[in-house]
């Protein structure tokens, strides 16, 4: 009986090796492990005005729970700044890679890169809504928009005085029926 099982396994193993499925299965198993390191954005260059320009990913502002990244292009005139605020739902900011690539030719791109909570020292304290807002305000200051956090803070205070019924909805009612244009 043992010989029959070994023969069947050998035949199965030979069949899997013959068409490469076993190596694919091994690779899937290897990739299934948890990763706690942020992958690179991997954007070495971008086409701007018909020429290739080198891109450098630099940390502009580092705080306990996040880093503001800038994608600086070599020898480029000033362009409108864009801040991409990555979601906090457990994925890396590198999921926005395609968006960054799309915006780079015509914009100076900044991205919030939230740190994995497992890597943050407990001495840094909690990271709730107040700390999230504080990080965003500091990132805005790092974008050389010194009055923007003050205006945002005044706006938040004003809205809180008016009460929740007066705060406009997060998205207008017509947003669901609005025709979609070019996606970025």
């Amino acid at each position: 009986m043992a010989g029959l099982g070994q023969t069947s396994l050998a035949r199965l193993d030979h069949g899997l090796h013959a068409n490469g499925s076993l190596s694919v299965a091994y690779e899937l198993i290897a990739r299934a492990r948890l990763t706690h390191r942020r992958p690179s954005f991997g954007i070495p260059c971008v086409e701007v005005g018909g020429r290739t320009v080198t891109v450098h990913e630099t940390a502009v502002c580092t705080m306990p729970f996040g880093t503001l990244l800038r994608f600086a292009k070599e020898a480029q005139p000033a362009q409108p700044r864009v801040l991409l605020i990555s979601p906090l739902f457990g994925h890396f900011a590198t999921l926005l890679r395609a968006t960054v690539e799309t915006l780079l030719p015509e914009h100076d791109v900044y991205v919030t890169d939230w740190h994995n909570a497992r890597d943050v020292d407990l001495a840094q304290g909690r990271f709730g809504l107040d700390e999230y807002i504080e990080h965003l305000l500091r990132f805005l200051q790092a974008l050389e928009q010194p009055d923007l956090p003050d205006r945002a803070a005044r706006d938040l205070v004003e809205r809180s005085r008016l009460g929740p019924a007066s705060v406009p909805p997060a998205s207008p009612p017509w947003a669901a029926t609005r025709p979609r244009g070019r996606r970025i």
Side-chain angles (χ1 to χ4, degrees):
M1 190 78 160
L4 177 64
Q6 288 176 349
T7 306
S8 298
L9 286 175
R11 210 177 298 142
L12 175 65
D13 186 47
H14 174 72
L16 289 175
H17 277 294
N19 66 13
S21 296
L22 186 59
S23 62
V24 171
Y26 286 148
E27 186 175 345
L28 283 174
I29 291 168
R31 288 184 180 188
R33 75 186 193 294
L34 288 176
T35 178
H36 302 291
R37 289 177 296 177
R38 176 181 72 83
S40 169
F41 272 88
I43 305 173
C45 57
V46 66
E47 287 287 323
V48 179
R51 63 185 189 96
T52 302
V53 178
T54 304
V55 176
H56 299 282
E57 178 184 331
T58 59
V60 174
C61 178
T62 301
M63 295 186 62
F65 295 95
T67 299
L68 178 64
L69 300 175
R70 178 180 183 214
F71 292 86
K73 298 180 293 275
E74 287 186 356
Q76 286 296 301
Q79 293 179 310
R81 287 176 281 200
V82 172
L83 173 60
L84 292 175
I85 300 175
S86 62
L88 285 173
F89 54 79
H91 296 289
F92 294 112
T94 51
L95 288 175
L96 297 173
R97 182 183 191 279
T99 305
V100 172
E101 279 185 307
T102 301
L103 290 170
L104 269 172
E106 299 173 5
H107 298 87
D108 191 7
V109 181
Y110 294 81
V111 177
T112 59
D113 186 21
W114 302 109
H115 301 167
N116 190 328
R118 295 178 195 172
D119 300 333
V120 178
D121 187 355
L122 289 175
Q124 296 298 330
R126 66 185 291 269
F127 186 67
L129 181 61
D130 291 339
E131 293 77 19
Y132 173 73
I133 292 170
E134 180 183 334
H135 275 60
L136 291 178
L137 292 176
R138 291 266 176 92
F139 291 160
L140 288 169
Q141 286 173 335
L143 286 172
E144 300 171 2
Q145 299 283 333
D147 67 328
L148 223 114
D150 294 333
R151 289 191 319 229
R154 282 195 303 271
D155 187 49
L156 285 172
V157 168
E158 186 61 34
R159 287 180 181 201
S160 67
R161 285 187 195 143
L162 298 174
S166 63
V167 175
S171 60
W174 47 264
T177 59
R178 190 169 133 198
R180 298 191 187 270
R182 179 177 155 219
R183 286 191 144 182
I184 295 177

PDB file of all heavy atoms in Angstrom, residues 86-95 113-114:
ATOM      1  N   SER A  86      -3.285  59.501   2.013  1.00  0.00           N
ATOM      2  CA  SER A  86      -3.548  58.067   1.881  1.00  0.00           C
ATOM      3  C   SER A  86      -4.477  57.602   2.996  1.00  0.00           C
ATOM      4  O   SER A  86      -4.474  58.165   4.088  1.00  0.00           O
ATOM      5  CB  SER A  86      -2.238  57.276   1.891  1.00  0.00           C
ATOM      6  OG  SER A  86      -1.574  57.450   3.116  1.00  0.00           O
ATOM      7  N   PRO A  87      -5.261  56.573   2.728  1.00  0.00           N
ATOM      8  CA  PRO A  87      -6.192  56.071   3.739  1.00  0.00           C
ATOM      9  C   PRO A  87      -5.475  55.395   4.897  1.00  0.00           C
ATOM     10  O   PRO A  87      -4.328  54.975   4.770  1.00  0.00           O
ATOM     11  CB  PRO A  87      -7.059  55.077   2.964  1.00  0.00           C
ATOM     12  CG  PRO A  87      -6.326  54.781   1.718  1.00  0.00           C
ATOM     13  CD  PRO A  87      -5.367  55.888   1.460  1.00  0.00           C
ATOM     14  N   LEU A  88      -6.164  55.291   6.008  1.00  0.00           N
ATOM     15  CA  LEU A  88      -5.596  54.689   7.220  1.00  0.00           C
ATOM     16  C   LEU A  88      -6.107  53.268   7.448  1.00  0.00           C
ATOM     17  O   LEU A  88      -6.143  52.821   8.575  1.00  0.00           O
ATOM     18  CB  LEU A  88      -6.005  55.516   8.442  1.00  0.00           C
ATOM     19  CG  LEU A  88      -5.296  56.831   8.652  1.00  0.00           C
ATOM     20  CD1 LEU A  88      -5.934  57.602   9.787  1.00  0.00           C
ATOM     21  CD2 LEU A  88      -3.835  56.604   8.939  1.00  0.00           C
ATOM     22  N   PHE A  89      -6.517  52.564   6.438  1.00  0.00           N
ATOM     23  CA  PHE A  89      -7.188  51.288   6.671  1.00  0.00           C
ATOM     24  C   PHE A  89      -6.282  50.076   6.614  1.00  0.00           C
ATOM     25  O   PHE A  89      -6.710  48.972   6.360  1.00  0.00           O
ATOM     26  CB  PHE A  89      -8.373  51.101   5.718  1.00  0.00           C
ATOM     27  CG  PHE A  89      -8.026  51.254   4.266  1.00  0.00           C
ATOM     28  CD1 PHE A  89      -7.410  50.241   3.574  1.00  0.00           C
ATOM     29  CD2 PHE A  89      -8.308  52.437   3.615  1.00  0.00           C
ATOM     30  CE1 PHE A  89      -7.090  50.388   2.243  1.00  0.00           C
ATOM     31  CE2 PHE A  89      -7.995  52.584   2.280  1.00  0.00           C
ATOM     32  CZ  PHE A  89      -7.379  51.564   1.595  1.00  0.00           C
ATOM     33  N   GLY A  90      -4.996  50.242   6.867  1.00  0.00           N
ATOM     34  CA  GLY A  90      -4.108  49.101   6.977  1.00  0.00           C
ATOM     35  C   GLY A  90      -3.329  48.757   5.739  1.00  0.00           C
ATOM     36  O   GLY A  90      -2.673  47.733   5.679  1.00  0.00           O
ATOM     37  N   HIS A  91      -3.385  49.597   4.724  1.00  0.00           N
ATOM     38  CA  HIS A  91      -2.609  49.348   3.513  1.00  0.00           C
ATOM     39  C   HIS A  91      -1.526  50.406   3.405  1.00  0.00           C
ATOM     40  O   HIS A  91      -1.602  51.460   4.020  1.00  0.00           O
ATOM     41  CB  HIS A  91      -3.499  49.372   2.273  1.00  0.00           C
ATOM     42  CG  HIS A  91      -4.507  48.288   2.257  1.00  0.00           C
ATOM     43  ND1 HIS A  91      -4.180  46.975   2.053  1.00  0.00           N
ATOM     44  CD2 HIS A  91      -5.842  48.307   2.456  1.00  0.00           C
ATOM     45  CE1 HIS A  91      -5.266  46.235   2.098  1.00  0.00           C
ATOM     46  NE2 HIS A  91      -6.290  47.022   2.347  1.00  0.00           N
ATOM     47  N   PHE A  92      -0.535  50.140   2.609  1.00  0.00           N
ATOM     48  CA  PHE A  92       0.545  51.091   2.423  1.00  0.00           C
ATOM     49  C   PHE A  92       0.147  52.175   1.420  1.00  0.00           C
ATOM     50  O   PHE A  92      -0.646  51.935   0.520  1.00  0.00           O
ATOM     51  CB  PHE A  92       1.797  50.375   1.924  1.00  0.00           C
ATOM     52  CG  PHE A  92       2.371  49.416   2.934  1.00  0.00           C
ATOM     53  CD1 PHE A  92       2.325  48.055   2.707  1.00  0.00           C
ATOM     54  CD2 PHE A  92       2.947  49.881   4.098  1.00  0.00           C
ATOM     55  CE1 PHE A  92       2.852  47.172   3.624  1.00  0.00           C
ATOM     56  CE2 PHE A  92       3.478  49.007   5.034  1.00  0.00           C
ATOM     57  CZ  PHE A  92       3.430  47.647   4.796  1.00  0.00           C
ATOM     58  N   ALA A  93       0.752  53.345   1.585  1.00  0.00           N
ATOM     59  CA  ALA A  93       0.478  54.462   0.681  1.00  0.00           C
ATOM     60  C   ALA A  93       0.884  54.143  -0.755  1.00  0.00           C
ATOM     61  O   ALA A  93       0.415  54.782  -1.690  1.00  0.00           O
ATOM     62  CB  ALA A  93       1.221  55.710   1.164  1.00  0.00           C
ATOM     63  N   THR A  94       1.719  53.131  -0.926  1.00  0.00           N
ATOM     64  CA  THR A  94       2.166  52.773  -2.270  1.00  0.00           C
ATOM     65  C   THR A  94       1.019  52.297  -3.153  1.00  0.00           C
ATOM     66  O   THR A  94       1.183  52.197  -4.374  1.00  0.00           O
ATOM     67  CB  THR A  94       3.270  51.701  -2.226  1.00  0.00           C
ATOM     68  OG1 THR A  94       2.836  50.616  -1.419  1.00  0.00           O
ATOM     69  CG2 THR A  94       4.554  52.272  -1.670  1.00  0.00           C
ATOM     70  N   LEU A  95      -0.149  52.043  -2.573  1.00  0.00           N
ATOM     71  CA  LEU A  95      -1.315  51.723  -3.390  1.00  0.00           C
ATOM     72  C   LEU A  95      -1.717  52.916  -4.263  1.00  0.00           C
ATOM     73  O   LEU A  95      -2.431  52.756  -5.243  1.00  0.00           O
ATOM     74  CB  LEU A  95      -2.500  51.303  -2.517  1.00  0.00           C
ATOM     75  CG  LEU A  95      -2.387  49.934  -1.859  1.00  0.00           C
ATOM     76  CD1 LEU A  95      -3.575  49.690  -0.929  1.00  0.00           C
ATOM     77  CD2 LEU A  95      -2.313  48.836  -2.900  1.00  0.00           C
ATOM     78  N   ASP A 113       2.317  59.162   4.212  1.00  0.00           N
ATOM     79  CA  ASP A 113       2.694  57.752   4.345  1.00  0.00           C
ATOM     80  C   ASP A 113       2.566  57.389   5.819  1.00  0.00           C
ATOM     81  O   ASP A 113       3.437  57.726   6.628  1.00  0.00           O
ATOM     82  CB  ASP A 113       4.126  57.552   3.844  1.00  0.00           C
ATOM     83  CG  ASP A 113       4.540  56.092   3.804  1.00  0.00           C
ATOM     84  OD1 ASP A 113       3.649  55.221   3.768  1.00  0.00           O
ATOM     85  OD2 ASP A 113       5.755  55.836   3.808  1.00  0.00           O
ATOM     86  N   TRP A 114       1.457  56.745   6.169  1.00  0.00           N
ATOM     87  CA  TRP A 114       1.196  56.408   7.571  1.00  0.00           C
ATOM     88  C   TRP A 114       2.049  55.216   7.987  1.00  0.00           C
ATOM     89  O   TRP A 114       2.143  54.235   7.259  1.00  0.00           O
ATOM     90  CB  TRP A 114      -0.291  56.128   7.783  1.00  0.00           C
ATOM     91  CG  TRP A 114      -1.123  57.297   7.377  1.00  0.00           C
ATOM     92  CD1 TRP A 114      -1.937  57.381   6.281  1.00  0.00           C
ATOM     93  CD2 TRP A 114      -1.188  58.566   8.019  1.00  0.00           C
ATOM     94  NE1 TRP A 114      -2.503  58.630   6.212  1.00  0.00           N
ATOM     95  CE2 TRP A 114      -2.066  59.383   7.267  1.00  0.00           C
ATOM     96  CE3 TRP A 114      -0.592  59.108   9.151  1.00  0.00           C
ATOM     97  CZ2 TRP A 114      -2.358  60.686   7.623  1.00  0.00           C
ATOM     98  CZ3 TRP A 114      -0.879  60.419   9.501  1.00  0.00           C
ATOM     99  CH2 TRP A 114      -1.756  61.188   8.738  1.00  0.00           C
TER     100      TRP A 114
END
